[in-house]
Amino acid sequence: GDSELHYAPRPEHVNSFEVLHGGASMTFLDVVMASAARSVRPESGVVTIEMKTTFMRPVRFKAGDTLRGIGRLLHG
C-alpha cells in the first residue's frame, strides 16, 4: 500500500513566477494515490471519484528540480 514517484516538471507545467500549475500538482497527486492503491493488487483498477485540495503555498520550481510524491493506502 505504498508508492513513491518523482516528477520533473517541464517548462509548460510552470507559470511565469516559477510556480507549478495547480492542474499539474493535482495530476501528480492522483497518479501517486493510484500507484499506492494498486500496489496491493496490481490487477485491480482504480478510479478517482472525487478529489479536492487546498493549496497552502506555491510549489516553486527551477530547471532540474524534481518533486517527490509519497502515497500510502489507508483503506482498501
Side-chain angles (χ1 to χ4, degrees):
D2 294 305
S3 69
E4 180 175 331
L5 283 81
H6 300 263
Y7 166 49
R10 293 172 41 180
E12 59 266 27
H13 302 156
V14 180
N15 67 23
S16 59
F17 300 111
E18 297 180 333
V19 172
L20 187 65
H21 290 296
S25 298
M26 292 293 286
T27 299
F28 182 56
L29 288 170
D30 194 36
V31 173
V32 170
M33 292 187 301
S35 295
R38 292 195 70 195
S39 70
V40 176
R41 279 185 283 166
E43 72 283 354
S44 68
V46 177
V47 177
T48 302
I49 302 292
E50 183 176 359
M51 186 171 165
K52 180 187 182 308
T53 297
T54 301
F55 297 103
M56 304 300 286
R57 62 182 174 152
V59 178
R60 297 197 184 278
F61 275 94
K62 294 190 171 109
D65 286 350
T66 301
L67 184 64
R68 179 175 69 144
I70 298 173
R72 180 165 296 128
L73 181 63
L74 300 178
H75 185 273

